[in-house]
Amino acid sequence: MTTHVPATREALTDLPVEVAPRLLDALLEVELDGERVVLRLSEVEAYHGRGTGDVPDPGSHARMGPTPRNATMWGEPGHLYVYLSHGIHSCVNVVCGPAGVAGGVLLRGAEVVEGADAARRRRSARGVVRQDRDLARGPGRLGDASGLRHPVHDGIDAVTGDMRAGARARLLLPVSPRRDIATGPRVGVAGVAGGDEFPWRFWIPDDPTVSAFRWGRGAGPALSAAR
């Protein structure tokens, strides 16, 4: 029985907040330097750019419009926006929405279902990996495990699977989207963008590869207290 189908541009043209829950249980396949790693997505977050949807998203890299850093977010859906976080971690996003409208879905957590040895070796360069559930638990770890790096893989096409900087990436969507989905505020996002007004984090309940939640600076209880 077929459980996944290759992603198409059409399947990713809706707003990121609509596409994000459909990516749970999706597979991201990455081939790099002769090694293949397959990630089953368990946790994602939606981000909208300026003018995308009805609600401005102050937590998005594209909230102020196009820049050299966020250029991939304004392109065709199905490309991967790979950015550098804290000068260390390469984080991976699936671009969503029609070309010219910025949006992306951050891949926050995943289970390594193939290529665990390669993922473990890449992750061990950052420190000790105590459990396999932690190989791609969190966006920085997921980026490390996949092998995708900023800036060389930013813009890689996960629909066509074209080679870029020695890597190929493909996104496969589940034939039957999950129904048991949890949603809540985004992790570590500052201010109102990290509060209850933006329940744009989606995850699979009780999945051990989902990352731990933390409020961002000035978000959640701190935001409520300031009002």
Side-chain angles (χ1 to χ4, degrees), residues 45-200:
E45 287 178 344
Y47 290 87
H48 289 187
R50 187 183 67 184
T52 303
D54 297 330
V55 181
D57 181 2
S60 171
H61 289 175
R63 63 187 178 276
M64 303 299 290
T67 67
R69 181 196 191 194
N70 67 36
T72 298
M73 292 182 72
W74 297 85
E76 285 185 313
H79 291 260
L80 301 183
Y81 169 48
V82 183
Y83 71 89
L84 197 63
S85 175
H86 302 294
I88 301 173
H89 301 293
S90 292
C91 299
V92 182
N93 302 253
V94 176
V95 175
C96 302
V101 175
V105 176
L106 173 64
L107 309 184
R108 280 205 57 89
E111 175 191 11
V112 178
V113 295
E114 186 176 332
D117 288 344
R120 193 177 298 109
R121 187 184 68 252
R122 293 166 182 167
R123 283 287 306 123
S124 64
R126 305 280 190 190
V128 177
V129 180
R130 293 182 173 81
Q131 301 181 61
D132 281 356
R133 75 166 192 170
D134 293 326
L135 288 173
R137 185 172 179 247
R141 293 174 177 178
L142 189 152
D144 287 342
S146 73
L148 296 173
R149 309 303 300 161
H150 170 86
V152 294
H153 298 129
D154 180 30
I156 193 170
D157 194 338
V159 170
T160 64
D162 290 344
M163 182 76 73
R164 187 184 185 101
R168 295 183 189 276
R170 289 189 182 277
L171 180 67
L172 292 92
L173 303 178
V175 172
S176 300
R178 294 191 70 103
R179 296 184 181 276
D180 57 331
I181 293 174
T183 183
R186 295 175 293 194
V187 178
V189 178
V192 66
D196 293 333
E197 292 88 341
F198 290 88
W200 289 2

